[in-house]
Amino acid sequence: MPANLKEDLKNLPRHIAIIMDGNGRWAKERGLPRTEGHRRGADTVRAITEECGALGVEYLTLYAFSAENWKRPKREVDALMKLLEQFLRTRTPEMMEQNVRLQAIGRLHDLPQTCQQQLHRSIEQTSQNTGLTLILALSYGGREEIVDGVKSLLESIERGHLDKGMIDTEVFSKHLYTRYYPDPDLLIRTSGEMRLSNFLLWQLSYTEFYITQTLWPDFGKEELHQAIRAYSQRHRRFGTVA
Ligand code: IPE
Ligand code: IPE
Ligand code: MG
């Protein structure tokens, strides 16, 4: 490990979230089908997960498929679902070796049946692991999550478990998909887009952003280190004057 990286690790983000973008453009630049970009993107997922685990990051949330991505051509959606299932099937043994605990957030029941089954198998199999928690955002939308949170809150009130007067930001956050995880410290978006695209709208309130022009299939360990280094030099004030 480079000496200056070691220094930055004193201020390591506990939770990194990544909008993995640019697979299509990566393929287009090479005259390849978009699905080839997604395939290469899955290799990056593997490498970045391994490195986050090795560095001691506690949570890594990856935006893999948005609520809006269902509007893509059926051929591309089908290929992405197949790739996801294959990724889970072939990479779960590696997650076991690396002590990675897999989790997922989003409207998971929208995924194809076989995909859901494999996902739940992988989650179950890795559930006792104590290293990095890898959270895949699948059929995920930040607005959808907030709406689902409101419904869950109303149910609690109807059942008499909660009083309207007790609702505050802390209570509400316990009704989101992310209730078990701390908010991300660092958000990385590849491919240069300056937007959230419906990702973790609630949770990113005080997250530090790192945006790179690099396309996701080209994003490597060195650039992850660069993002962490940039993060370690930020001064987070959370609205105070400290
Ligand atoms: C990100 O790459 C992967 C998903 C959204 C599933 P894109 O497919 O969005 O690639 P670009 O943005 O078209 O290059
Ligand atoms: C965001 O990327 C979703 C994922 C990375 C899964 P998109 O490529 O779908 O976002 P837009 O359409 O450029 O905003
Ligand atoms: Mg994109």
Side-chain angles (χ1 to χ4, degrees), residues 21-22 25 72:
D21 201 9
R25 276 162 283 173
R72 292 190 178 194

Side-chain angles (χ1 to χ4, degrees), residues 19-21 63-66 69 72 189 193 195 197:
I19 302 177
M20 311 184 287
D21 201 9
Y63 203 6
F65 194 86
S66 74
N69 288 151
R72 292 190 178 194
R189 183 165 188 156
E193 306 298 350
R195 55 178 172 263
S197 303

Side-chain angles (χ1 to χ4, degrees), residues 53-112:
L55 293 174
V57 172
E58 291 174 58
Y59 300 88
L60 173 65
T61 300
L62 299 177
Y63 203 6
F65 194 86
S66 74
E68 289 77 19
N69 288 151
W70 292 112
K71 295 182 210 154
R72 292 190 178 194
K74 185 177 182 309
R75 211 161 20 109
E76 182 169 345
V77 171
D78 288 350
L80 279 165
M81 292 302 140
K82 218 173 126 191
L83 192 63
L84 169 65
E85 195 183 326
Q86 190 187 332
F87 177 87
L88 293 167
R89 201 177 49 245
T90 59
R91 299 293 167 210
T92 303
E94 211 167 60
M95 290 186 218
M96 292 306 294
E97 271 168 40
Q98 293 168 4
N99 199 18
V100 171
R101 180 173 70 117
L102 182 73
Q103 302 268 277
I105 54 172
R107 290 188 173 165
L108 305 179
H109 49 264
D110 290 345
L111 300 171

Side-chain angles (χ1 to χ4, degrees), residues 191-238:
S191 87
E193 306 298 350
M194 303 275 188
R195 55 178 172 263
L196 286 180
S197 303
N198 206 10
F199 190 42
L200 300 175
L201 300 180
W202 173 277
Q203 298 84 346
L204 296 174
S205 290
Y206 272 102
T207 302
E208 297 293 327
F209 288 12
Y210 179 91
I211 294 174
T212 171
Q213 294 298 323
T214 305
L215 305 175
W216 178 248
D218 289 330
F219 189 84
K221 268 205 296 199
E222 289 68 29
E223 203 164 359
L224 175 70
H225 297 167
Q226 211 171 306
I228 292 174
R229 204 167 289 127
Y231 168 84
S232 73
Q233 286 158 10
R234 303 277 178 88
H235 183 45
R236 301 179 79 182
R237 277 184 291 275
F238 298 100

Side-chain angles (χ1 to χ4, degrees), residues 135-153:
I135 305 154
L136 296 181
L138 297 166
S139 190
Y140 175 88
R143 288 181 173 177
E144 285 76 0
E145 179 181 29
I146 291 169
V147 167
D148 287 348
V150 169
K151 287 182 185 166
S152 158
L153 207 60

